[in-house]
Structures are given as C-alpha cells and as structure tokens.
Amino acid sequence: MTRFALNRATTKHWPLPELVAGCAEAGVTGVGLWRDDVAAHGAAGAAALVRDAGLTVTSLCRGGFFADPGWYDENRRAIDEAAALGAPALVLVCGGLPAGSRDVDAARAHVGEALGALVPHARAAGVRLAVEPLHPMFCADRCVVSTLEQALDLAEPHPADAVGVVVDTYHLWWDDRVWGQLARAGRAGRIACFQVADWVTPLPAGVLLGRGLPGTGCVELRRFREAVDAAGYAGPVEVEVFAEEVWARPGREVLAEALAGYRDHVA
Amino acid sequence: MTRFALNRATTKHWPLPELVAGCAEAGVTGVGLWRDDVAAHGAAGAAALVRDAGLTVTSLCRGGFFADPGWYDENRRAIDEAAALGAPALVLVCGGLPAGSRDVDAARAHVGEALGALVPHARAAGVRLAVEPLHPMFCADRCVVSTLEQALDLAEPHPADAVGVVVDTYHLWWDDRVWGQLARAGRAGRIACFQVADWVTPLPAGVLLGRGLPGTGCVELRRFREAVDAAGYAGPVEVEVFAEEVWARPGREVLAEALAGYRDHVA
C-alpha cells in the first residue's frame, strides 16, 4: 500500500488535522491537498500539519481556469503555494470556453499560451505543471483539454520536468486511444500524477459529483495502473473521488473503503 | 430551408398527425421518426401519415443496444420497420457495457460482430445501418461507440451503402479529431445522417435530456454543416433535441424556433 495516497477532496469535510492523523494511523504516507487547505491553514501551516504527521504532499489542486480574468496572477500564486507545501506538481484544470464563446480551438490554443507564460515561474519555484485532461462532458464549462493526447500535445513544447500530465481514470477510461497515449507519455517522461476514481451511473445534475470509490463502477482501474507502471511511472496513486454521498460519511470510514478498493481493484 | 428535417424526438409529445400537418404548413419536407411512432400507428399507418402530408421519412431511430438479450431479433424488426417506412437509414445506438462488465474493448468488438450479423438482412431490406457515436458520457450505459473514428472503424468492413455513420453535433463537438474524421467519412461515402443539437450547461441528472435547440449553446454548428457538405453529404439536416423544457412547449412553437435556429446557426 506504499503508493496509495488520499486526495483530500475524497474526504472534503474531514478537517486537515484529523485527516493527516487518520492517514498516519492507517499507514498512508501521501496526501493530495487543495488550495482550500492553504486558505484555511496557510501554506506553512498546512505543510507543517502534513509533515508532522509523517506524510508528504503528493500534489496540489489546482491551478488553471485560463478563461478567467486574472488567471496569470492566480496561477502564479498557486505555483508559490505548491512550492511552499513541497508539492511536486500543481494540477491544472485548464478551464472551459470563455463566456459567450463557441471557439473551442481558440480556447485550447490559449491553454498552450498560458502554459508558456507560466513555465518560467514554475521552473524557478521547482514546481511541475500537470495538465489534466477532463472528461469531454466538462469541455464547455471546466476544461477544454479533453484527451490525454491533447494534454501531451500541450506539454510537448516544454521540458518534461516543467510540464507533465495528470492521468485520471475517471476522465480517460472511455478513450480507446488512451493506451497508446499512455505509452507516449511514458516515453516522454510526462506522467506527473496518477489519480483514480470509478465511473458510476446515473450521473447527478451538473455531473461534477458523480464519481465512485475504486471498485464501485465500471472502469478497468488495474489496467490503468499497470499501463502507467509500464510507462515508467513509479509515483503515488491518488484516490480522488467527488461525491456528495461519500462526503457525507465519516472520513475514517471513507479512507478505509478507499484503501480496500485500492487493494482489490488497483494495486 | 429545403434540407431542414424535424426529428420527432424534438417535439416528443406532438402527436404524429398534428406534427406532419405542422411540418407541411411550415414548408418542412422531412421528418425523422422513432419506433414509438410505428408502435402507435403501425409502420403502414405512420408511412401513410407522413406521405399524405407530402413529407418523407429521413431516418428511423433506433436500433442497436447490442448488450441487450434479444438484440438480434429486435434489430431485424427495426430494419423491417425502416423498410416499411421508406426510411433510408436505421440509426443505431449501440448500447453500453453489459451488466456487471468493465470490458469496454469487448463491448466494442461485440458491436462489430452485431453489425456483421445484421448487414445481410439490412441489405436485403434496402435499409442502411447508421452507427451513431454518442458522447463519451454515455459510454457506460448507452453507447460504447464514443467517437466518429470508432464508428468509421466499425463501418469499414462493410460496403458504404450497407453501413454508414450518424454525425450528431451534440455528441462530437468536443473532439478535435472530428474534422479529419469527417473528411475520412466523406472519402468513404459513409455519412448516412446529419443531426443537429446544441450543448448547454449545466447538464441535468442522467444527462440524457440536456440538449439545446440550435443556437442556444456553444457548438460551432455551421462549421459542422460546412464540414459535412465539404465531405460530399447533401442530405437532410435533422434537428434532434431531447430536453424536458422543450418537450413541455407546443410543437408548433418548438418547430418555429428550430427553423429559426437552423437558419441563423446552421444553414
């Protein structure tokens, strides 16, 4: 279980001090944080909470949203927070179409421009930018980067240690081209994060909070884990589930179930 | 407006006799029917209603759902109904994963086998099978064919007049590879139907009934129409929208709005 990491969004309402204590008790050594944690505890405070519990920060969610005004300054702040936390990667959810726009090609081109603008600051801070392709159902309103292939194309102009990609099973499982792209990502050394969630239907209104803990849905999770391993990735496996019914349960219980699902369906 | 066709699912609760009269009054000459219409009026009765109003049937929705037991006989019946209606194409929504399965590759392979099994009957009946790629958010529960590329790969073993594809803007707009695949579809003469709906957010629970009339969302509809034209398609343009709030309105009003949206955003 040494690769298992808990993305704190899975237990959204579990206060960070209890969360890190619960992880330590369960033998979990990695936690993916969100900028909410930084807002609540300060970067130094959140970093100390994690470190003092014997854990490391596996990633920070999230930067991106490049269609928003102020994206440049906001992303520079997110990079600084990742650096202060010791997070090796800043996950980027790149944003949807600008208000009123139908030009998805232009929005994707703008993501490339935004990466170029941010890379110098990220390199100086020692933080890797991690472009996350989101499921195509989020293309309009959350992320115009819809496939691993697009994410790799966007990363390609930059050094691999400056820009990588996030492989999230929830977003990519439907894509028959993903296996070839995972191999490509491996050859280029681009896999910055590997996140696991399962696909369950029916989807809820708004579709954001419809994910399942590992093993509760239809995704070939182990096939993904084996494919990222074959691509040379040896980092943490973050379980990241957004779901109201999961959030409503005690953090400790959710963590135990995530660990069991990881063991039975991922490891 | 000679290419505009009304897919009757857009005005789901408009009884067919009133619908065809409303179309004729509005100068609309094509209507896409559903098997519900055949169930309600019989194939000969539905065909007569359409013909007597001076319209033609542009397509029949739908066959497919190849993960269901009984798919073979059900699809043969659907082919027979299409033939009796004079519908040139039977739209196939190919079905999701079998219950309890996580094997999307096997489900996709099974679609290919099912097409092979149905082609002889379809050819004998003079009905073209039209494989419809559905948005990846439907991959688990409605259609494992998620991209135009997959649909064309599935069609490829068969003569173009036996198996074509459906191009539906709602399902394909997010895909940066679709433009190249539309050109491929044109070269192979595979475009059997062209359907138009717009993408609007937020998506409703279950995500099936979240479509918008042309012009209400973020899809580059005219770019699609120009691309299918450039690919050599000269057939009808069916407006097909599933949405509770559209269904709740009078059919005549919805038709007028669909026509206006077609004129302003598609034609």
Side-chain angles (χ1 to χ4, degrees):
Chain A
M1 306 300 268
T2 55
R3 294 176 72 187
F4 176 96
L6 179 68
N7 187 292
R8 76 99 65 244
T10 306
T11 53
K12 184 183 172 73
H13 305 306
W14 207 7
L16 189 59
E18 297 174 34
L19 182 150
V20 296
C23 282
E25 277 174 36
V28 171
T29 59
V31 62
L33 294 189
W34 281 62
R35 295 188 70 197
D36 300 348
D37 299 305
V38 174
H41 301 277
L49 277 169
V50 172
R51 188 180 54 239
D52 292 350
L55 308 182
T56 58
V57 179
T58 51
S59 69
L60 177 66
C61 290
R62 61 181 197 244
F65 284 93
F66 299 124
D68 292 355
W71 64 265
Y72 180 70
D73 290 335
E74 196 59 39
N75 276 277
R76 286 173 62 97
R77 279 193 287 275
I79 289 166
D80 293 340
E81 292 175 12
L85 289 168
L90 174 66
V91 174
L92 300 179
V93 173
C94 293
L97 293 168
S101 169
R102 295 184 173 101
D103 194 342
V104 68
D105 287 351
R108 286 171 175 153
H110 176 63
V111 173
E113 293 156 8
L115 288 173
L118 292 169
V119 159
H121 188 67
R123 296 200 85 179
V127 171
R128 195 179 193 189
L129 301 175
V131 178
E132 180 163 22
L134 257 60
H135 193 283
M137 69 186 177
F138 295 117
C139 185
D141 53 359
R142 302 188 78 79
C143 182
V144 291
V145 182
S146 303
T147 62
L148 184 57
E149 185 168 24
Q150 289 174 345
L152 288 167
D153 288 349
L154 286 162
E156 206 157 64
H158 306 287
D161 62 353
V163 183
V165 297
V166 180
V167 174
D168 185 319
T169 60
Y170 187 77
H171 297 304
L172 302 176
W173 73 274
W174 59 271
D175 183 2
D176 58 339
R177 298 174 56 83
V178 75
W179 312 110
Q181 294 298 316
L182 284 171
R184 173 189 171 198
R187 286 191 299 274
R190 295 282 181 187
I191 303 178
C193 301
F194 177 44
Q195 297 182 328
V196 172
D198 221 331
W199 183 273
V200 287
T201 55
L203 294 165
V207 304
L208 183 63
L209 308 183
R211 306 189 190 184
L213 288 165
T216 60
C218 67
V219 181
E220 296 176 289
L221 300 176
R222 185 164 280 125
R223 184 182 180 188
F224 266 94
R225 200 267 305 151
E226 290 172 349
V228 298
D229 284 5
Y233 178 77
V237 182
E238 276 189 19
V239 170
E240 186 196 47
V241 173
F242 308 158
E244 292 283 6
E245 68 269 25
V246 174
W247 290 346
R249 294 165 50 198
R252 200 172 302 268
E253 184 182 310
V254 171
L255 175 59
E257 198 171 311
L259 279 161
Y262 173 80
R263 183 188 62 225
D264 294 345
H265 296 277
V266 183
Chain B
M1 308 298 268
T2 55
R3 294 176 73 188
F4 176 96
L6 178 67
N7 187 292
R8 77 99 65 246
T10 306
T11 54
K12 184 184 171 76
H13 305 305
W14 206 6
L16 190 60
E18 297 173 37
L19 182 150
V20 295
C23 282
E25 278 174 35
V28 171
T29 59
V31 62
L33 295 188
W34 281 62
R35 295 188 69 198
D36 300 346
D37 300 305
V38 174
H41 301 278
L49 278 169
V50 173
R51 188 179 55 240
D52 293 351
L55 308 182
T56 58
V57 179
T58 51
S59 69
L60 178 64
C61 289
R62 57 178 199 248
F65 284 93
F66 299 124
D68 291 354
W71 65 266
Y72 179 70
D73 290 336
E74 196 59 37
N75 276 278
R76 285 172 63 98
R77 279 192 286 276
I79 289 165
D80 293 341
E81 291 174 14
L85 290 168
L90 174 66
V91 174
L92 300 179
V93 173
C94 293
L97 292 167
S101 170
R102 294 184 173 100
D103 194 342
V104 68
D105 287 351
R108 285 171 176 154
H110 175 64
V111 173
E113 294 158 6
L115 288 173
L118 292 169
V119 159
H121 188 68
R123 298 201 83 179
V127 171
R128 194 180 194 189
L129 302 175
V131 178
E132 180 165 20
L134 257 59
H135 193 284
M137 69 186 176
F138 296 117
C139 185
D141 53 359
R142 302 189 79 80
C143 183
V144 290
V145 183
S146 303
T147 62
L148 185 57
E149 184 167 26
Q150 290 175 343
L152 289 167
D153 289 348
L154 287 161
E156 205 156 64
H158 306 286
D161 63 350
V163 182
V165 297
V166 181
V167 174
D168 185 319
T169 59
Y170 187 78
H171 297 304
L172 302 176
W173 73 275
W174 60 271
D175 184 3
D176 58 339
R177 296 173 57 84
V178 75
W179 312 109
Q181 294 298 315
L182 284 170
R184 173 189 171 197
R187 286 192 300 274
R190 296 281 180 188
I191 303 179
C193 300
F194 176 45
Q195 297 182 328
V196 172
D198 221 331
W199 184 273
V200 286
T201 54
L203 294 166
V207 304
L208 184 62
L209 307 181
R211 304 188 192 186
L213 288 166
T216 60
C218 67
V219 181
E220 294 175 290
L221 299 175
R222 183 162 282 125
R223 183 181 182 188
F224 266 95
R225 199 268 303 150
E226 290 172 349
V228 299
D229 284 5
Y233 178 77
V237 182
E238 277 188 19
V239 170
E240 186 194 48
V241 174
F242 308 156
E244 294 283 5
E245 68 270 24
V246 174
W247 290 347
R249 294 165 50 197
R252 200 172 303 266
E253 185 182 311
V254 170
L255 175 59
E257 198 170 311
L259 280 161
Y262 172 79
R263 183 189 62 225
D264 294 343
H265 296 278
V266 184

